[in-house]
Amino acid sequence: MKVRHTTPARLGLFVFLAVWMLVIAPISAMAAPYAAMVIDARTGEVLHSRNADTRLHPASLTKMMTLYIAFQAVEAGEISMDTVVTISKNAAAEPPSKLGLRSGQKIKLRFLVRAAAVKSANDAATAIGEAISGSEAAFARRMTRTAKSLGMTRTTFKNAHGLTESGHLSTARDMTTMGRHMIYDYPQYYNLFSRISTHAGMREVANTNRRFLGAYKGADGIKTGYTRAAGFNLVSSAERGQERIIATVFGGTSTANRNAKVAELLDLGFRRAPSRAPLRRPNKPAFVPGDDAVVVAGNDSGGQAAGKIIRLSGAVKTSLRPKSRPGSDAPVLMASASLKASVLPGDIKAALEEAQTTTATAPKATAPTVKRPSARPTGVVLASTEPEVVTRVSTSGGRHWGVNIGRYPSRYKAEKVLLKTALAEMSTLDGSLRKVVRRPAGFDANFMGMTREGADLACRRLQARNVTCFMIGPS
């Protein structure tokens, strides 16, 4: 009987196979799902998609939304790039990639923005969210609301940095939409994503996307992302001549694999996109403030009132609906002289007539007895009729407050909403002035000429009707 001896070479082969079956095979089976999207950035036309609507882990692609909200907040006057932020224990404790911020450290917002955009620093992203919304949880809710306003219908955010968390999900389509809005809504900041390195206040940091930026012709951004659950993700944009393509990849198996796939998709986009196409910028959404923000009016460079955002702690979220007037189940609406139907457009006139029909069943009020004034006594010396010049009107306790009920794409739409709101809430808005203010992103619908108490009451009653409302202070 022959005894077969195991040679060292054969033993090594057995060990390799065992390791492969126990380690390598399970890891490959757990590889993150793949998804991709390619669009013509000029028009938004989809040139290629695969699993584009599958909800996956976005990883640090999340920071595009964190930065978008930071740019939005700076634009709205809620914060400035020179605001000094105090780093919390929560932000300082975030795992890498990080800038190395310390609890209690003070640093300007502009350096946090650079660190989040270029180095993809998790501690910087969390600090940005806390500086704007007060807490990471509140900022995450704002991120999700902003995503919905951008058309990112399958995205939910739970944090500002993108580390894996239950329910923190997005899609290749939504992240491509996010990238397109970043390019066209805030072009003044977009250059951040093409920097190979930048100074982040504490030190020089290198771009996590520097390999692709240096290797692909025309590439100028935008954001990388990686976690074990997500794989290697990238939203990239490249411009050649008059063409700009955005390509997104989820679930790459390595940096090199992801970069090669994105290059392939961008090439596909440039082949399929027409040389010339009309530039149809995405609609920039109305400002989406935080949970407890209040707009206080100021003046912009154009002389118009510009909103400054402040946060109120303990602000009233909802209020009870007031009880109906005794003796009638239907609300009594009274149209003032300023709402004459003869001067209103068709849709608004119809809204007014519809609202006025509800007064038919209301009990008629008894007219009060009016006494005829007695004749002026003879020999009375009248005061001088010369006008008195008032050089300054005090704002203390005056009717210099107002409320904002939203921003709309046209003046007509804003006026229509103002009228319907006035008819629905006559008791608190009576005597106020309906005013539409044009902004770069739309038309603000405001009620002005109110006392502070009146504006506060109106906002609380409108919020009880699920109407978005913010107070506007004296300019």
Side-chain angles (χ1 to χ4, degrees), residues 332-474:
V332 181
L333 299 178
M334 302 176 63
S336 66
S338 62
L339 300 178
K340 290 182 178 180
S342 60
V343 299
L344 298 175
D347 288 349
I348 301 182
K349 180 178 178 181
L352 174 60
E353 291 173 349
E354 179 184 352
Q356 287 177 323
T357 58
T358 61
T359 63
T361 59
K364 294 184 178 180
T366 304
T369 303
V370 180
K371 293 184 177 181
R372 183 183 299 277
S374 57
R376 180 182 296 162
T378 59
V380 175
V381 179
L382 298 178
S384 171
T385 59
E386 294 183 4
E388 178 183 359
V389 178
V390 179
T391 59
R392 183 179 182 274
V393 179
S394 171
T395 60
S396 175
R399 302 177 70 87
H400 306 289
W401 289 75
V403 298
N404 172 278
I405 58 170
R407 180 169 294 171
Y408 301 91
S410 68
R411 180 178 294 276
Y412 174 74
K413 179 68 174 177
E415 290 175 347
K416 184 175 180 180
V417 172
L418 282 171
L419 177 60
K420 287 187 175 181
T421 306
L423 292 172
E425 194 58 56
M426 285 293 294
S427 59
T428 52
L429 295 175
D430 187 32
S432 62
L433 174 67
R434 301 192 306 279
K435 184 175 181 181
V436 176
V437 180
R438 185 169 186 172
R439 302 289 185 203
F443 295 83
D444 283 359
N446 300 334
F447 286 98
M448 302 302 297
M450 307 171 70
T451 63
R452 178 168 184 163
E453 293 76 13
D456 178 65
L457 175 61
C459 253
R460 285 188 283 115
R461 289 178 63 123
L462 289 172
Q463 288 169 351
R465 298 175 182 268
N466 294 321
V467 176
T468 301
C469 181
F470 306 106
M471 290 175 59
I472 304 175

Side-chain angles (χ1 to χ4, degrees), residues 172-237:
R173 186 184 305 277
D174 282 359
M175 280 299 163
T176 304
T177 298
M178 176 80 261
R180 185 168 185 247
H181 274 280
M182 183 68 80
I183 292 169
Y184 289 113
D185 291 356
Y186 294 103
Q188 67 271 38
Y189 298 115
Y190 181 65
N191 70 88
L192 279 169
F193 300 100
S194 63
R195 298 182 186 181
I196 301 300
S197 66
T198 191
H199 195 275
M202 298 170 59
R203 57 189 173 89
E204 194 81 7
V205 293
N207 196 320
T208 57
N209 196 31
R210 59 189 180 277
R211 292 183 186 177
F212 189 80
L213 291 171
Y216 192 84
K217 179 183 177 182
D220 57 10
I222 180 171
K223 191 71 190 72
T224 62
Y226 168 76
T227 62
R228 289 183 180 179
F232 291 81
N233 299 350
L234 176 59
V235 176
S236 183
S237 176

